[in-house]
Amino acid sequence: MSPPAPARREERDSFGPIDVPADALWGAQTERSLRFFAIGTQRMPMAIVHALAQVKRAAALVNAELGRLDAAKADAIARAAAEVAAGSFDEHFPLLVWQTGSGTQTNMNVNEVLANLASRALGGEIGPGRLVHPNDEVNLGQSSNDVFPTAMHVAAALQARPLLDAVTRLRALLHARAEAWAGVVKVGRTHLQDATPVTLGQEFSGYEAQLGLADAALRQALPGVCALAIGGTAVGTGFSTHPEFGRRVAQRLAQDLGEPFVVARNAFAAMAGHEALVLLHGTLKTLAVALAKIAGDIRLMGSGPRAGFAELRLPANEPGSSMMPGKVNPTQVEALTMVCAQVLGHDAAIGFAASQGQLELNVYKPLIALDVLDSLRLLADATASFAEHCVEGLQPDEARMQALLGRSLMRVTALVPHLGYDRAAAIAHDAQARGLTLREAALAAGVDGEHFDTWVDARRMLGPA
C-alpha cells in the first residue's frame, strides 16, 4: 500500500482556489510560486526573510500609530513578525531565489505567514477564514517594489557587522606582527626575483595598510545602504500610503536594529536602481583583492618546508594529504582565495543586474540580494577563519631568512654608490655565473673586504640612505 497523501487545505487569491499543505503557514501566492518557479535549489536567503519581517513589524506598529490599522491586529502582526525575524518559522519560507525580479512572491510569502500567525494569536484559524488579511493589513501602505529593496538594504547593513568585526580582528593581528617582526630582515622580492632587503615587519605593515584601505571604503559605503526605499510604494510616488509612513518605519527600524536607517532622498532612484549596493559590493571586491594578495604572499613565504621559500611556518591544523604523511598545506589560504574568487564573480553579476533596471523598477532584485549577502557572509567567515587558524599561528623561520639573505645577489645595489652601476652589475653577474657569494665575487674584482662589509649591510638598506 502506498502511504496516504499528505493532508491539504484550499486557499484562495485573486486567481482563484489552490491547494496547499494543511500544516503550511503560507497561502495561495506562495504555493503558486512553488509550482511555477521550480528553478534550481537556492532558497531566498533567510536574511532577506528576517529583514522583511523586521520591516513588517515596524510597518504594523506605524500603521497603528497613524490610525490606519486596528491596534490589536497591529500588535498580533508585530509579535508574529518578531518571531519570524528570530528564525522561529524558517521552514515556512520555501521559495527559491529565481522568481519574479521584484521579490513579490517572497514578500507575499512573508505576508501570508504573518497573517496566519497573527490570526491564530487572535483566536482565529489559518487559511481562508483567517482574521488578518495578508494584503490589506500585513502589507498595508506597502508594495513589494519598495518593501523588498528596503529588506535588501536592512539585511546587507546587518550582515556587514560580522565582516567589519572580522576585518578589524585581522588588521589588529597584522599590525601586531608588523611590530613584532620589525627587526626580522629578509630578502625582498619583485617579479618573484630577489630584490633589496626588507623586514618581515615591513611586509606585514603593507598588508595591514592594504586591508585598511578596503576597510575604510566599506565603512564609507554603509551609510548609503542605510537609505531605504520604504514609503515609495509601487513606483516611487508614495501613492496609497500615509505621507509619514516611510519616515516613521525607517526611524523605528533604526531604533530597533541599531543602524542609522533613514528614508532614501529619492524613492525613484531607490527602486529603479541599486547603486548603493553596487557601491557596497565594489568595496567587497576591493577587500577580496587585498585579501587574495595577502593570502597569496603568505602561501609563497610558507612554501616548502624543504624545497620552497620556507620563511614562514604555517600552523599545522590538519593532515595535508591522503597519500603523503606529514604534509602540511596552506588550506586556510586556499579557502580564503576561493572565497575571493567567488566575490569577484558576484561583483560582475551584481554590476550587470543593477544596470538592467527599466523605467521605474529594477527587476533583478533577488539576484542582487543573493550575491551581496553571500559575499558579506563568505568574506566574514573566511576572514575570521584566516585570522584565527592561519595568521595567529604564523611563525617566522629567522635562520632560513638569514640563509637566503646571505645568498642574495641583490645586496649588490649597496655597491652602486661606491663602484657605479656597471661595475656592480659585473660583480653580480660573475657571482651568479661562477656560483660565488657576492662577497667572494666583489673581492675577486678588487673590492676591499672591510669596505664591502661596511657598504653591504642589509640593515642599512631598509630605508633611505
Side-chain angles (χ1 to χ4, degrees):
M1 291 180 59
S2 58
R8 312 282 293 184
R9 74 170 189 268
E10 184 182 273
E11 284 274 356
R12 285 182 171 272
D13 60 11
S14 59
F15 272 57
I18 188 171
D19 287 343
V20 306
D23 59 350
L25 290 174
W26 65 78
Q29 292 197 47
T30 303
E31 187 68 23
R32 293 188 195 282
S33 182
L34 282 172
R35 298 187 188 185
F36 292 121
F37 294 95
I39 302 171
T41 59
Q42 292 162 296
R43 287 174 64 185
M44 183 65 69
M46 282 299 113
I48 291 291
V49 170
H50 298 162
L52 275 168
Q54 294 284 6
V55 175
K56 300 295 178 181
R57 177 180 182 278
L61 296 174
V62 168
N63 277 323
E65 291 171 4
L66 296 172
R68 305 188 75 211
L69 182 62
D70 174 76
K73 289 186 176 182
D75 182 67
I77 293 169
R79 289 177 182 275
E83 291 185 88
V84 168
S88 299
F89 296 97
D90 286 356
E91 69 274 17
H92 292 278
F93 300 96
L95 297 189
L96 301 170
V97 167
W98 314 110
Q99 54 171 271
T100 176
S102 61
T104 298
Q105 288 145 0
T106 289
N107 180 39
M108 285 307 305
N109 186 185
V110 173
N111 289 336
E112 289 173 342
V113 170
L114 293 182
N116 278 322
L117 288 172
S119 175
R120 195 160 65 186
L122 292 169
E125 59 184 53
I126 67 171
R130 65 179 70 87
L131 300 179
V132 178
H133 197 282
N135 297 82
D136 296 341
E137 292 166 321
V138 181
N139 202 58
L140 178 63
Q142 307 151 58
S143 165
S144 299
N145 296 351
D146 67 339
V147 167
F148 194 84
T150 295
M152 291 166 65
H153 282 226
V154 169
L158 296 179
Q159 196 115 320
R161 292 174 181 172
L163 177 57
L164 291 171
D165 291 343
V167 171
T168 298
R169 167 68 173 151
L170 180 55
R171 286 186 64 187
L173 281 173
L174 293 172
H175 181 77
R177 274 134 190 78
E179 290 191 335
W181 298 336
V184 180
V185 185
K186 65 184 290 287
V187 174
R189 296 182 180 88
T190 58
H191 303 269
L192 283 181
Q193 302 295 308
D194 299 352
T196 54
V198 296
T199 70
L200 187 60
Q202 287 171 328
E203 287 183 319
F204 272 72
S205 75
Y207 303 152
E208 195 275 330
Q210 285 179 276
L211 205 57
L213 288 172
D215 187 13
L218 174 57
R219 292 175 188 277
Q220 289 170 4
L222 285 172
V225 176
C226 290
L228 308 179
I230 192 71
T233 62
V235 295
T237 60
F239 173 71
S240 83
T241 197
H242 191 283
E244 280 290 301
F245 176 75
R247 184 188 66 80
R248 292 197 189 190
V249 169
Q251 185 179 53
R252 185 173 284 275
L253 287 169
Q255 293 170 349
D256 292 345
L257 303 178
E259 296 290 343
F261 294 120
V262 295
V263 174
R265 292 183 181 179
N266 190 298
F268 301 100
M271 292 159 57
H274 285 298
E275 284 72 21
L277 292 177
V278 173
L279 178 61
L280 173 68
H281 201 275
T283 70
L284 302 185
K285 179 178 72 172
T286 303
L287 177 60
V289 168
L291 288 169
K293 163 62 166 66
I294 295 165
D297 279 8
I298 289 174
R299 180 189 349 229
L300 283 173
M301 286 190 283
S303 61
R306 298 290 177 87
F309 289 176
E311 294 174 336
L312 289 175
R313 291 191 291 269
L314 303 179
N317 297 321
E318 71 281 314
S321 171
S322 61
M323 176 181 175
M324 296 173 280
K327 199 169 191 296
V328 176
N329 290 333
T331 50
Q332 290 295 318
V333 167
E334 291 162 6
L336 177 59
T337 52
M338 283 193 290
V339 163
C340 293
Q342 180 79 316
V343 171
L344 296 180
H346 284 347
D347 196 70
I350 289 166
F352 178 81
S355 74
Q356 295 303 298
Q358 287 86 37
L359 303 176
E360 276 64 65
L361 189 67
N362 176 287
V363 288
Y364 286 67
K365 297 185 193 304
L367 166 61
I368 294 170
L370 174 71
D371 284 358
V372 167
L373 294 173
D374 193 46
S375 290
L376 285 165
R377 175 63 185 270
L378 286 174
L379 283 171
D381 290 351
T383 300
S385 183
F386 180 65
E388 180 180 358
H389 301 302
C390 183
V391 177
E392 191 164 6
L394 286 176
Q395 295 293 329
D397 189 330
E398 296 190 43
R400 171 67 172 171
M401 292 183 196
Q402 285 301 309
L404 292 176
L405 183 63
R407 293 167 51 193
S408 172
L409 298 180
M410 288 305 100
R411 293 178 302 148
V412 74
T413 308
L415 296 177
V416 172
H418 308 285
L419 306 180
Y421 186 94
D422 291 339
R423 189 178 175 195
I427 291 171
H429 288 311
D430 182 53
Q432 177 65 10
R434 295 202 287 156
L436 304 175
T437 66
L438 184 62
R439 192 178 194 279
E440 290 168 342
L443 268 57
V447 177
D448 178 77
E450 187 176 337
H451 285 163
F452 179 90
D453 293 338
T454 301
W455 297 338
V456 185
D457 181 350
R459 292 188 177 277
R460 296 177 63 184
M461 302 176 68
L462 298 172

